C-alpha cells in the first residue's frame, strides 16, 4: 500500500497504546490493516481507525516498525508484504523490512454485539464532555472492581455519568430518553476520550460488551459486571450553601499545594463570606483568603488537597456552588450552568 506518512502516523499514534507489549498470540503485537481500517486489540479492548486509501489491503504492521514510520520524512510511504509475511517499508532511499505474521492469525475481540442486544445514539461532544467531567473520580486500581468503572445509566429521562473511589464522587447528566446501565472500564473510557470522534456516536451493547461507533473510529470493550452503588443518596441537601469563582479557588489551592512536599490536607476556615485556605506542616505555612458570594456559618474542615484540586478542574463553569453540613460531613460542589456535581469527603486535620 502507498499512503501519506503523516496520515498513517496519526492513526498509529491513536492505536499503539492498545497494542500489548507481549501476548500469547504474537500476531497481536502489532496493528492489523484490513477492510480500510487500522485495528489494535488486547484482551479487554479493540480499537478500529478508518483510513482512506488502504481498502483491499490485509497485513500486520509489527510494533517494532512504529518508531521508524513516525521518524520518516513527510511524504508517501510504501508498505508491502511478501509471501513469507515480511513487511517492507520504503520511502525514497529509505528501506527496512520486519518479520510479521499472517493477517488471519490476528484474532481480536468480536466487533458485533450478541443477538438481542440494544443500541442508542448520542452526540460525540456531549458523550466525551460528560465522561471527562467524571473520569477523574474513577480509580485506576481498587480492590472493589465496580469502583474501577465509569457508570453510564439512562433512567427517568436522564443519562447519568458517575465515577467514585470512596473519597470523591462525580456525577454529570444530560437529557436522554431510554433505559440502560453500563459499567465501562476506565481504560476504555480513557482511550475513547483520545479518539477524534465527531458527529453522532452509535453505542451498541449487550450484557457483556459495548461498541462505540463513529464515522472514523470504533471501540469495542468488555463491560464490568455487577451492581453499582446508590450514588444519588449521597447528594443530600446540606444547610450551608454558598459559591465562589472557580478559577480563583483553583489557583489558591494550586498555590497552597505546591508549597509543600507532604500530603498535608488543605484547611478550610469559613468566616461569613470569607474562605481561608491553608496548609501548615514541616515544609510549608501557606494561607490565602478568597471571597465567597454568600455568607454562611463559621466552619473549620479539612480536605485532601489533590482531590479538591482534581474536582475543581473537572468543572468548566465560571462559578461553582459549595455546600457544607459540618466538619464531619462532605462538601458538595455543583456547577452553576449544568447538572455536573461532586462530593468530596473531609479528612481529619492535625491538631
Amino acid at each position: 500500500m502507498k499512503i501519506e506518512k503523516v496520515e498513517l502516523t496519526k492513526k498509529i499514534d491513536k492505536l499503539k497504546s492498545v497494542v500489548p507489549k507481549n501476548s500469547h498470540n504474537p500476531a497481536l503485537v502489532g496493528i492489523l490493516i484490513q477492510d480500510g481500517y487500522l485495528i489494535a486489540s488486547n484482551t479487554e479492548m479493540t480499537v478500529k481507525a478508518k483510513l482512506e486509501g488502504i481498502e483491499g489491503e490485509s497485513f500486520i504492521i509489527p510494533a517494532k516498525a512504529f518508531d521508524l514510520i513516525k521518524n520518516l520524512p513527510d511524504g508517501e510511504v510504501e508498505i508491502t508484504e511478501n509471501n513469507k509475511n515480511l513487511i517492507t517499508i520504503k520511502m525514497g532511499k529509505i528501506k527496512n523490512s520486519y518479520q510479521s505474521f499472517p493477517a488471519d492469525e490476528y484474532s481480536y475481540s468480536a466487533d458485533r454485539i450478541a443477538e438481542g442486544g440494544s443500541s442508542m445514539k448520542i452526540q460525540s461532544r456531549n458523550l466525551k464532555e460528560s465522561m471527562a467531567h467524571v473520569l477523574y473520580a474513577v480509580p485506576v486500581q481498587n480492590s472493589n472492581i465496580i469502583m474501577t468503572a465509569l457508570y453510564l445509566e439512562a433512567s427517568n429521562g436522564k443519562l447519568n455519568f458517575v465515577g467514585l473511589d470512596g473519597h470523591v464522587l462525580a456525577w454529570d447528566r444530560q437529557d436522554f430518553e431510554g433505559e440502560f446501565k453500563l459499567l465501562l472500564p476506565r481504560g476504555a473510557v480513557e482511550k475513547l476520550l483520545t479518539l477524534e470522534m465527531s458527529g453522532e456516536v452509535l453505542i451498541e451493547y449487550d450484557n457483556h460488551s459495548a461498541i462505540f461507533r463513529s464515522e472514523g473510529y470504533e471501540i469495542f470493550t468488555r463491560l464490568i459486571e455487577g451492581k453499582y452503588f446508590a450514588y444519588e443518596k449521597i447528594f443530600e441537601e446540606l444547610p450551608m450553601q454558598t459559591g465562589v469563582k472557580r478559577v480563583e479557588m483553583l489557583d489558591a489551592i494550586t498555590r497552597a499545594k505546591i508549597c509543600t512536599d507532604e500530603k498535608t490536607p488543605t484547611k478550610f476556615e469559613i468566616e461569613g463570606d470569607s474562605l481561608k485556605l491553608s496548609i501548615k506542616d514541616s515544609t510549608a505555612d501557606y494561607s490565602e483568603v478568597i471571597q465567597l458570594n454568600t455568607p454562611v456559618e463559621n466552619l473549620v474542615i479539612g480536605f485532601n488537597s489533590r482531590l479538591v484540586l482534581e474536582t475543581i478542574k473537572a468543572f468548566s463553569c465560571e462559578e461553582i456552588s459549595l455546600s457544607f453540613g459540618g466538619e464531619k460531613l462532605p462538601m458538595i460542589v455543583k456547577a452553576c450552568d449544568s447538572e455536573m456535581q461532586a462530593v468530596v469527603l473531609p479528612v481529619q486535620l492535625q491538631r
Side-chain angles (χ1 to χ4, degrees):
M1 78 175 185
K2 294 182 179 181
I3 193 76
E4 285 296 316
K5 171 255 180 176
V6 171
E7 293 301 315
L8 179 60
T9 298
K10 183 178 177 182
K11 300 297 184 180
I12 289 176
D13 283 347
K14 294 292 184 184
L15 270 61
K16 65 182 182 181
S17 64
V18 180
V19 177
K21 289 182 171 55
N22 297 289
S23 175
H24 66 281
N25 179 2
L28 291 178
V29 187
I31 290 177
L32 174 65
I33 307 293
Q34 193 170 73
D35 300 327
Y37 283 89
L38 278 72
I39 304 169
S41 186
N42 55 43
T43 56
E44 299 297 326
M45 180 183 3
T46 297
V47 181
K48 301 173 69 174
K50 192 173 184 180
L51 184 60
E52 300 292 336
I54 63 170
E55 296 81 2
E57 302 286 352
S58 183
F59 58 87
I60 299 169
I61 301 176
K64 290 181 180 180
F66 296 167
D67 284 343
L68 172 62
I69 294 171
K70 187 179 183 70
N71 285 281
L72 290 172
D74 291 349
E76 190 177 68
V77 58
E78 181 180 6
I79 304 178
T80 57
E81 181 189 37
N82 67 13
N83 57 8
K84 295 183 179 180
N85 306 122
L86 195 68
I87 299 295
T88 300
I89 298 171
K90 292 194 297 183
M91 177 184 276
K93 297 179 181 180
I94 302 169
K95 178 182 176 182
N96 195 39
S97 297
Y98 298 88
Q99 186 60 54
S100 188
F101 297 88
D104 57 11
E105 290 185 12
Y106 195 101
S107 57
Y108 59 92
S109 302
D111 58 0
R112 294 183 180 85
I113 293 301
E115 187 175 346
S118 303
S119 65
M120 51 83 75
K121 293 181 179 180
I122 184 173
Q123 287 297 318
S124 59
R125 179 179 178 181
N126 296 339
L127 176 69
K128 295 176 75 173
E129 186 176 81
S130 288
M131 283 182 165
H133 282 166
V134 306
L135 183 62
Y136 81 94
V138 180
V140 176
Q141 292 181 323
N142 195 284
S143 58
N144 186 339
I145 193 171
I146 302 298
M147 282 191 178
T148 66
L150 186 151
Y151 187 44
L152 197 59
E153 177 196 37
S155 64
N156 301 319
K158 295 289 183 180
L159 180 56
N160 301 283
F161 300 76
V162 188
L164 66 84
D165 72 353
H167 303 282
V168 64
L169 188 159
W171 177 18
D172 198 7
R173 57 183 180 174
Q174 304 173 11
D175 292 335
F176 182 83
E177 293 301 326
E179 300 282 336
F180 67 85
K181 298 176 181 179
L182 302 177
L183 287 168
L184 303 172
R186 180 189 169 101
V189 177
E190 286 179 321
K191 176 48 62 179
L192 188 150
L193 291 176
T194 69
L195 302 179
E196 297 172 337
M197 289 183 162
S198 60
E200 212 167 44
V201 175
L202 173 67
I203 305 175
E204 300 175 289
Y205 57 92
D206 56 28
N207 291 333
H208 307 290
S209 55
I211 302 175
F212 295 77
R213 302 185 195 270
S214 70
E215 185 176 346
Y217 292 93
E218 298 179 11
I219 178 167
F220 167 94
T221 178
R222 300 189 187 280
L223 297 175
I224 292 174
E225 298 185 28
K227 185 177 180 181
Y228 204 66
F229 311 95
Y231 60 92
E232 307 99 319
K233 296 180 180 179
I234 301 174
F235 289 89
E236 61 182 53
E237 196 73 17
L238 298 178
M240 300 169 58
Q241 299 182 15
T242 185
V244 68
K245 292 187 181 300
R246 185 185 70 89
V247 173
E248 194 173 312
M249 186 173 181
L250 178 65
D251 289 347
I253 295 178
T254 300
R255 285 188 286 266
K257 190 173 183 298
I258 62 177
C259 288
T260 179
D261 297 326
E262 301 178 12
K263 296 181 179 180
T264 308
T266 297
K267 185 179 183 180
F268 284 45
E269 295 178 82
I270 299 175
E271 291 187 7
D273 61 356
S274 294
L275 170 58
K276 180 181 178 182
L277 301 168
S278 62
I279 289 182
K280 186 173 183 179
D281 54 32
S282 62
T283 62
D285 187 5
Y286 184 91
S287 67
E288 182 173 346
V289 177
I290 59 176
Q291 191 75 23
L292 301 175
N293 61 23
T294 305
V296 291
E297 295 178 23
N298 292 356
L299 175 67
V300 178
I301 189 170
F303 292 101
N304 179 293
S305 306
R306 178 185 61 82
L307 291 181
V308 174
L309 202 58
E310 290 181 354
T311 296
I312 299 172
K313 284 180 178 179
F315 288 78
S316 56
C317 50
E318 289 187 8
E319 291 197 1
I320 51 177
S321 69
L322 307 176
S323 299
F324 303 91
E327 65 177 13
K328 294 184 178 180
L329 292 178
M331 172 176 65
I332 296 180
V333 185
K334 294 184 179 180
C336 294
D337 61 354
S338 71
E339 297 190 64
M340 169 69 177
Q341 54 187 321
V343 168
V344 185
L345 296 185
V347 296
Q348 188 172 356
L349 290 168
Q350 295 179 352
R351 299 297 182 184

